[in-house]
Amino acid sequence: MRINENFLKLPGSYLFSEIGRRVAAYGAANPEKSLIKLGIGDVTRPLPAAVLEAMHKAVDEMGRSETFRGYGPEQGYDFLREAIVEYDYARRGVTLDADEVFVSDGAKSDCGNIVDLFGLDNVVAVCDPVYPVYVDTNAMAGRAGEYNEQTGMWSGYHYMPCTAENGFSPEIPNCKVDLIYLCFPNNPTGAVATREQLKAWVDYANANDAVILFDSAYEAFITQKEIPHSIYEIEGAKTCAIEFRSFSKTAGFTGTRCAYTVVPKQLRRGGASLNAMWNRRQCTKFNGVPYVTQRGAEAVYSEAGRKQVKENLAYYQKNAKVIFDGLKGAGLTVSGGVNSPYIWCKTPNGMGSWEFFDLLLNRANVVTTPGAGFGPSGEGYIRLTAFGDAAATEEAVARIKAIL
Ligand SMILES: *Cc1c(COP(=O)(O)O)cnc(C)c1O
């Protein structure tokens, strides 16, 4: 037999294991030091009370024969799909049908699984730096070509550098690409896209028979009114874009697992409906999200749920401001943070990403993420996250200021 040899081409997932190794080594050598972790993209605030209450109630339903539920619809229960359509879209002026929403166990899995729908010879455009899932899942499928250890890049991708020069916003390709991954608000840079920028992408995709894969996992962190939350706020997007959303960062569901993907029925390629194809894919390979979890997700949209989610987001947004203002006050060049839980910070004095990471670890006892781990254009930056404890975040910023 033969294995899928594309897996053998993948470089090791070096970033978080290397961070873990350096943090463990420092901790072992300096057991008296307390480290503050502003590196990992995971939430820390507990689930909102309204979500807990709904989940408890749903667990009880599962324990009684009259209300027990077995397999649910692969696409998600109507109660959740309808709440999504109403609260996440209709209230922002976007009209969707419930059968354009597919509930899932995560935006990571959906971003990875969506590649099932597309031919292997499509050209994939990815940002640099980038959320690694887009890159690695297409490499597993055989769409990436060969990996170059020296450059850290694959031969088959169209890379779109996101740098200070272009405001961390990818440029429209001057050639034909087929699949375009966009993530706004961005992980790792925290950058957002304006309505005009998104319109240019939608026009490009419609004109070039391309599909935009729009990851808006962080849309709830948008604070500026003029920034679109959904690609479907842009005219023409329903004929060219798939959108990924998640309850993970919005409502603390990273460990609870619930997300959804929107595939408009107007979106057709190669004579086929992508909505029908994704439906077929999900029905064949996925058996739905647990009922209890979906009731929890539904409660995110209740009056109490929306208020509690807002409070949690405000907590993180305050942390983001503390980091952003603090580092800026220390003379560092920072971006992101305003519409995002991520702050993208330029290393001082031309230091490398890992060099600055080590300095902050060893001298300030603060753990960050080296930008170079997200792609070559991330070199010279570090990422800090607003997902920590508020007091610890203030302490971390004070420590960084003290050593610069
Ligand atoms: C955290 C994150 C997600 C959400 O993934 P889940 O599987 O839903 O937890 C999606 N995209 C990006 C860029 C993320 O950082």
Side-chain angles (χ1 to χ4, degrees):
M1 69 87 66
R2 287 182 64 189
I3 56 165
N4 176 353
E5 288 175 2
N6 295 313
F7 278 69
L8 306 180
K9 299 180 183 176
L10 293 166
S13 61
Y14 166 80
L15 180 61
F16 288 100
S17 56
E18 179 61 16
I19 292 172
R21 197 188 63 75
R22 293 189 191 205
V23 169
Y26 182 82
N30 304 275
E32 75 290 356
K33 295 282 171 62
S34 81
L35 296 177
I36 301 175
K37 297 187 179 171
L38 299 184
I40 297 166
D42 194 0
V43 296
T44 54
R45 306 284 299 155
L47 288 173
V51 170
L52 279 194
E53 198 183 312
M55 291 179 78
H56 281 150
K57 187 166 160 269
V59 167
D60 288 340
E61 285 179 49
M62 294 299 272
R64 288 193 306 269
S65 55
E66 314 83 72
T67 48
F68 168 78
R69 310 227 186 181
Y71 289 124
E74 291 91 343
Q75 305 84 352
Y77 283 103
D78 283 342
F79 62 76
L80 179 54
R81 297 170 97 190
E82 280 159 15
I84 289 166
V85 163
E86 169 61 24
Y87 288 95
D88 284 346
Y89 292 99
R91 292 191 178 204
R92 292 198 177 277
V94 174
T95 318
L96 288 179
D97 292 337
D99 62 359
E100 296 176 301
V101 174
F102 296 84
V103 175
S104 78
D105 65 343
K108 186 189 204 176
S109 13
D110 283 356
C111 285
N113 293 332
I114 201 80
V115 305
D116 281 7
L117 270 47
F118 303 102
L120 286 184
D121 49 359
N122 286 308
V123 176
V124 177
V126 290
C127 291
D128 167 28
V130 69
Y131 180 56
V133 174
Y134 318 140
V135 171
D136 290 357
T137 54
N138 278 289
M140 288 171 180
R143 232 175 255 114
E146 301 302 322
Y147 186 70
N148 182 324
E149 297 277 352
Q150 257 68 53
T151 60
M153 293 163 115
W154 294 86
S155 61
Y157 289 143
H158 177 85
Y159 284 96
M160 304 182 288
C162 297
T163 60
E165 289 70 49
N166 59 25
F168 305 104
S169 179
E171 270 146 42
I172 304 277
N174 52 15
C175 54
K176 171 147 171 48
V177 302
D178 304 298
L179 279 177
I180 302 158
Y181 285 88
L182 296 178
C183 173
F184 292 113
N186 190 260
N187 177 10
T189 68
V192 287
T194 63
R195 195 166 290 281
E196 295 67 36
Q197 286 169 329
L198 290 182
K199 177 73 175 127
W201 281 107
V202 165
D203 289 347
Y204 173 91
N206 279 323
N208 287 277
D209 198 36
V211 172
I212 295 170
L213 301 170
F214 193 77
D215 184 343
S216 59
Y218 297 96
E219 62 78 28
F221 290 83
I222 293 173
T223 58
Q224 292 176 303
K225 282 221 157 27
E226 66 277 15
I227 301 297
H229 287 240
S230 164
I231 187 98
Y232 304 118
E233 292 177 51
I234 311 302
E235 201 196 322
K238 283 187 184 172
T239 54
C240 69
I242 292 172
E243 180 159 287
F244 304 95
R245 288 270 184 105
S246 175
F247 294 94
S248 282
K249 315 306 176 358
T250 307
F253 273 59
T254 52
T256 304
R257 311 305 306 142
C258 197
Y260 64 87
T261 289
V262 177
V263 190
K265 285 180 281 194
Q266 283 163 257
L267 177 51
R268 302 182 65 84
R269 288 293 180 271
S273 156
L274 295 190
N275 177 285
M277 286 174 72
W278 183 244
N279 188 51
R280 183 63 199 261
R281 191 262 169 221
Q282 291 298 82
C283 290
T284 302
K285 296 196 186 182
F286 184 62
N287 248 339
V289 175
Y291 172 69
V292 174
T293 307
Q294 293 192 61
R295 282 295 186 197
E298 180 193 26
V300 166
Y301 300 109
S302 67
E303 203 178 321
R306 279 181 289 147
K307 185 167 161 283
Q308 292 156 8
V309 162
K310 236 190 208 156
E311 286 163 6
N312 277 353
L313 290 169
Y315 183 96
Y316 296 135
Q317 280 156 344
K318 179 148 179 287
N319 285 346
K321 190 163 163 45
V322 164
I323 298 171
F324 187 98
D325 291 348
L327 298 187
K328 196 168 170 206
L332 292 166
T333 304
V334 288
S335 59
V338 177
N339 298 295
S340 155
Y342 297 120
I343 292 88
W344 193 238
C345 173
K346 190 162 171 48
T347 62
N349 311 319
M351 258 186 225
S353 286
W354 282 105
E355 199 185 338
F356 193 42
F357 168 89
D358 283 334
L359 179 82
L360 294 178
L361 172 63
N362 295 320
R363 304 259 324 278
N365 301 150
V366 174
V367 182
T368 60
T369 310
F374 298 101
S377 294
E379 181 53 270
Y381 290 87
I382 57 160
R383 187 192 74 174
L384 297 103
T385 85
F387 287 129
D389 172 77
T393 300
E394 300 226 18
E395 166 73 14
V397 170
R399 287 189 196 171
I400 294 173
K401 277 182 149 170
I403 63 147
L404 288 178

